Amino acid sequence: MKLIIQDQRTVKRNYWLIKLRWITIGGLAIAIVLSYILKFDVLFFGLLLVLGSLVVHNLIFLLLLKRGISSQKNNLIPYIHKIIFYQIVIDLFLLTILIHFLGGFVTPLLLFYTFHIVLASILLSRKISYLIAFIEVILLVTLAILEYYNIIPYHTIGLFDYSTLNIKFFLSILLIFTITSFALVYLVSDIALKLKKHEKLLYNTNKKLERANSELERKDCIKDEYVLRVTHDIKGHLAAIQTNLSVLHKNIAGPLDEKQKKFVSIAYNRTFKLTNFVTDLLRVTNMRLNNKTEKENFIFNDIIDNVIETIGQNANDKNIEIILSLNNNVKGYGNKFSITEGISNLILNSIKYTPKDGIITVYAKNMQQYAEITIEDNGIGIPENEINNIFDDFYRGSNAKSKKIEGTGLGLSLVWQIIEQNNGKIWVESKENKGSKFIFSIPSSE
Amino acid sequence: MAKAKILIVDDDLDLIEGTKAILESQDYEVFSAVNKIEGIDQIKSNRPDLIILDVRMTTSQEGFEMNLELRENPDYKDIPVLMQTGIEVMASNNTIASMIREMRKDSNFKDNKVLLCRNITDGSTGVDYLSEEGGSIFLPVDGFLSKPVDSEFLISEVSRFINK
């Protein structure tokens, strides 16, 4: 079964108490053996009785605690507080008997009572702790009276002087003891309360933060799902529009006159662009929604060759030369498919923003832990103050816009997304009118 | 010689209309259906030489289900099927394998409708998907068209399967 945090803490504390008692039992056992070896004049029967009782007592409460954890699901905390209270009362009682066997009211062993007071103040409420202190005083008074009036016999162990024992001495010890006990309860429970308060505050703050965080994540997810849904539907409509327009545009439904052709062309081209835009948006959103990607080892050289083969024509169309400067066997680890897409997008991007007869250079370097890929062009570049925005969704460089170069503003954010998902880094160095250099690194192995 | 017959199964009537015009201009005889049941009726009465099949119609996997039924039917299993989907497909030199991998990432298919590609021994490709009942079904596929389909690409894909 699962316990909630507060229950867990309470249970842990009782286990702690039981552990402390085992230590006490061990200590007492050693003391008995030592006093036997050193031939102290003590009543061994009495000490063994206390020792045995302590063992039985500890075992019984261990059992009660375990039973409580499995049966008291709703009232676990009050239940444990109750058994802790009984444990401490019985501890006090057994200590009183021990004190009786070890010299009675006058032994300094009386100080051991303070342990119980401190423990009660830490583990239980303040009221109950005062009650424990009160019980302790009563036990002490009872012991003193019983011994003083010889109702039960002294067990002197020969260490203490009983000649000074009189009513004044008795009362002064009792008074000091009572004050000490109650003051201890006051002080310790005060500290314990403050601690508890802080713990609770911290716990609540953590809870609130967690809630706020998961709420944010949920909203972000809803937003993305929504975008996906909407773009998917938009795409359906666009597909129908584009296909039907192409019937006109390609003169399938018969020839159009110049004027008709002009307007159909505009409509067809705009639909085409809108479709590209929606497609990019779908890709970015999909990428964001799907964090799980299958990763594998691959060689960058293969990917780059592959990309160049596919998009080489785009460069040829603008008479742009693509130079490859690749180390041998540049290893990478990631989703080969999306990285191919990323490199393809970066090179297409360079082709787009590089004027005719330009040069694009692709570098692939084998670094120690990672591979570094650079795509450098001598195109229009990025204005210095815009470099930080270049990977944002929908962001387009002002010079690209003013030169009327078409784009969705999503290409680079897709690349960013891809590199990020493959545990890589991407950055850009660029000078306006000189060219841009996109550099990314990808781990070279798992 | 009789015209080659093509069946388009898609729930978007407007899209059918345009596709039909494009194909008819290439001298194909085109029939259409908007769902699986109609599609199978059309196959029975017209016996097409090629089927262009949308994936998501009334249900999200209807196209796959229909394709599966055809594959299990000895009379129809040899009719080539071009699956047409609106699902995002990567640019670059896509193989069918990579397309299917992309489809697996689509949130519409992500959870209970996982698609897998398998290169079977004879080199052909197909779809492996988890059906609504939870079983895994393998489906040979002859080709994919990604929506929106460019008219020239459509014509060239279609001619791969029909020798006039």
Side-chain angles (χ1 to χ4, degrees):
Chain A
M1 77 169 257
K2 254 192 161 164
L3 296 170
I4 58 165
I5 295 169
Q6 265 174 321
D7 287 0
Q8 273 176 348
R9 201 167 43 205
T10 316
V11 167
K12 246 189 208 159
R13 285 187 172 164
N14 199 160
Y15 274 120
W16 176 60
L17 186 63
I18 285 169
K19 196 174 114 191
L20 285 179
R21 201 172 291 114
W22 286 127
I23 293 171
T24 312
I25 288 166
L28 184 58
I30 291 169
I32 292 172
V33 172
L34 277 180
S35 53
Y36 181 76
I37 294 168
L38 299 175
K39 295 195 169 34
F40 275 137
D41 179 20
V42 290
L43 197 68
F44 284 104
F45 165 73
L47 296 183
L48 289 172
L49 183 76
V50 173
L51 185 73
S53 311
L54 261 176
V55 172
V56 173
H57 159 51
N58 215 18
L59 285 175
I60 287 173
F61 276 97
L62 184 63
L63 226 101
L64 282 175
L65 175 64
K66 290 206 162 150
R67 238 185 44 195
I69 293 169
S70 55
S71 64
Q72 302 275 334
K73 279 172 189 157
N74 301 321
N75 284 320
L76 192 59
I77 293 182
Y79 173 80
I80 289 178
H81 281 163
K82 205 165 76 189
I83 64 171
I84 288 179
F85 171 73
Y86 287 127
Q87 284 171 67
I88 293 179
V89 171
I90 291 170
D91 285 336
L92 283 174
F93 185 71
L94 289 175
L95 177 61
T96 311
I97 293 174
L98 186 70
I99 286 172
H100 168 66
F101 286 126
L102 286 175
F105 180 70
V106 290
T107 65
L109 287 177
L110 291 186
L111 285 170
F112 282 172
Y113 277 119
T114 52
F115 287 136
H116 300 79
I117 299 297
V118 170
L119 281 173
S121 308
I122 293 171
L123 299 173
L124 303 171
S125 73
R126 182 174 266 187
K127 252 191 216 160
I128 300 293
S129 305
Y130 281 127
L131 181 61
I132 297 266
F134 182 70
I135 291 171
E136 176 231 271
V137 172
I138 295 291
L139 280 170
L140 195 58
V141 171
T142 313
L143 177 71
I145 291 173
L146 289 177
E147 288 183 345
Y148 189 74
Y149 291 105
N150 259 321
I151 299 168
I152 51 169
Y154 271 132
H155 291 286
T156 62
I157 52 172
L159 284 176
F160 312 114
D161 180 11
Y162 291 85
S163 59
T164 53
L165 198 61
N166 58 43
I167 196 85
K168 265 192 213 157
F169 178 77
F170 163 71
L171 283 176
S172 57
I173 284 190
L174 191 66
L175 183 68
I176 289 166
F177 224 88
T178 311
I179 292 170
T180 310
S181 301
F182 280 85
L184 258 182
V185 171
Y186 176 78
L187 290 173
V188 176
S189 64
D190 196 51
I191 294 168
L193 269 175
K194 272 182 190 153
L195 262 174
K196 237 183 249 171
K197 226 172 165 176
H198 275 113
E199 257 180 25
K200 208 169 174 181
L201 199 75
L202 205 70
Y203 178 77
N204 286 342
T205 316
N206 269 340
K207 260 269 138 68
K208 264 187 211 158
L209 273 174
E210 261 170 41
R211 258 207 304 272
N213 200 30
S214 69
E215 181 69 5
L216 267 178
E217 275 172 12
R218 198 180 63 88
K219 278 187 178 153
D220 201 48
C221 210
I222 289 174
K223 181 209 78 188
D224 282 344
E225 296 269 7
Y226 184 78
V227 172
L228 204 65
R229 178 83 235 159
V230 169
T231 42
H232 202 275
D233 287 353
I234 290 174
K235 222 181 147 193
H237 296 301
L238 276 172
I241 294 170
Q242 200 181 323
T243 304
N244 283 290
L245 273 174
S246 78
V247 172
L248 287 178
H249 187 241
K250 307 264 153 85
N251 292 327
I252 290 167
L256 304 176
D257 66 36
E258 277 311 302
K259 209 169 180 185
Q260 287 165 336
K261 196 166 183 138
K262 181 184 153 199
F263 290 110
V264 170
S265 280
I266 293 172
Y268 181 77
N269 287 337
R270 289 306 284 262
T271 316
F272 194 75
K273 277 173 203 160
L274 185 56
T275 306
N276 281 345
F277 176 76
V278 170
T279 304
D280 275 355
L281 194 60
L282 258 174
R283 270 187 209 167
V284 173
T285 317
N286 250 334
M287 194 69 87
R288 251 179 227 153
L289 280 177
N290 296 289
N291 288 320
K292 286 172 276 168
T293 42
E294 299 159 42
K295 291 184 176 163
E296 59 188 323
N297 289 304
F298 59 83
I299 304 291
F300 268 107
N301 307 54
D302 300 342
I303 290 188
I304 294 168
D305 288 345
N306 203 342
V307 169
I308 300 296
E309 199 179 304
T310 321
I311 63 175
Q313 193 53 44
N314 300 48
N316 287 344
D317 291 346
K318 287 177 83 175
N319 199 26
I320 289 173
E321 189 182 359
I322 298 182
I323 299 168
L324 298 184
S325 168
L326 316 176
N327 286 170
N328 286 329
N329 270 328
V330 180
K331 292 190 186 81
Y333 177 78
N335 183 275
K336 191 176 163 187
F337 196 66
S338 66
I339 290 172
T340 308
E341 168 90 355
I343 294 177
S344 167
N345 271 13
L346 282 175
I347 299 179
L348 282 173
N349 204 56
S350 284
I351 294 173
K352 196 160 151 188
Y353 297 110
T354 300
K356 275 191 171 176
D357 309 317
I359 295 171
I360 294 170
T361 317
V362 181
Y363 301 91
K365 272 188 251 169
N366 243 334
M367 310 301 252
Q368 285 204 326
Q369 307 284 324
Y370 53 93
E372 194 181 277
I373 311 297
T374 308
I375 287 126
E376 189 179 12
D377 64 52
N378 58 354
I380 64 169
I382 304 158
E384 204 184 327
N385 58 338
E386 294 177 24
I387 280 194
N388 290 331
N389 305 102
I390 207 74
F391 292 107
D392 294 350
D393 284 1
F394 305 112
Y395 191 84
R396 303 213 52 227
S398 57
N399 54 340
K401 278 193 274 188
S402 66
K403 287 191 168 66
K404 294 210 162 59
I405 300 173
E406 298 289 347
T408 58
L410 288 167
L412 286 178
S413 53
L414 182 65
V415 174
W416 173 275
Q417 206 68 238
I418 289 171
I419 302 299
E420 181 126 295
Q421 259 169 25
N422 286 290
N423 301 324
K425 272 185 211 145
I426 181 163
W427 62 100
V428 57
E429 292 163 14
S430 184
K431 268 219 165 83
E432 204 173 351
N433 299 321
K434 294 263 189 250
S436 304
K437 202 171 173 183
F438 285 88
I439 306 140
F440 72 86
S441 62
I442 290 285
S444 45
S445 63
E446 205 173 341
Chain B
M1 204 181 136
K3 286 180 179 178
K5 292 181 209 167
I6 297 173
L7 172 66
I8 304 170
V9 187
D10 198 307
D11 62 344
D12 188 331
L13 284 171
D14 295 335
L15 188 72
I16 289 180
E17 209 54 46
T19 314
K20 209 169 168 176
I22 293 168
L23 293 173
E24 278 172 352
S25 76
Q26 299 297 307
D27 228 23
Y28 294 113
E29 192 175 348
V30 183
F31 306 94
S32 65
V34 295
N35 57 37
K36 185 173 90 177
I37 298 164
E38 258 188 47
I40 292 192
D41 282 348
Q42 286 279 4
I43 294 169
K44 277 182 194 154
S45 49
N46 290 315
R47 175 110 209 156
D49 300 294
L50 173 71
I51 301 166
I52 296 174
L53 185 55
D54 187 25
V55 177
R56 200 181 342 187
M57 291 180 281
T58 316
T59 67
S60 62
Q61 294 187 357
E62 200 167 325
F64 287 138
E65 283 159 15
M66 178 168 165
N67 197 355
L68 185 71
E69 274 183 38
L70 296 179
R71 300 300 165 176
E72 286 169 350
N73 187 324
D75 292 338
Y76 308 133
K77 71 178 169 47
D78 295 325
I79 304 176
V81 174
L82 271 174
M83 294 297 301
Q84 177 164 243
T85 79
I87 293 154
E88 174 48 27
V89 172
M90 291 279 189
S92 78
N93 60 340
N94 257 330
T95 57
I96 291 171
S98 45
M99 273 192 198
I100 296 167
R101 268 174 79 182
E102 247 347 85
M103 286 169 74
R104 281 180 68 207
K105 292 183 202 149
D106 190 298
S107 59
N108 298 306
F109 292 93
K110 196 168 53 179
D111 296 326
N112 53 342
K113 298 145 197 165
V114 183
L115 296 161
L116 279 170
C117 170
R118 212 183 271 161
N119 271 314
I120 48 180
T121 41
D122 61 4
S124 65
T125 35
V127 181
D128 195 74
Y129 73 98
L130 293 180
S131 67
E132 311 251 327
E133 296 82 45
S136 174
I137 296 167
F138 177 71
L139 198 60
V141 174
D142 301 295
F144 270 94
L145 292 170
S146 177
K147 280 184 189 177
V149 186
D150 176 67
S151 54
E152 274 134 35
F153 182 67
L154 173 70
I155 291 164
S156 80
E157 274 300 283
V158 166
S159 63
R160 280 208 302 143
F161 297 99
I162 298 177
N163 301 312
K164 279 201 207 175

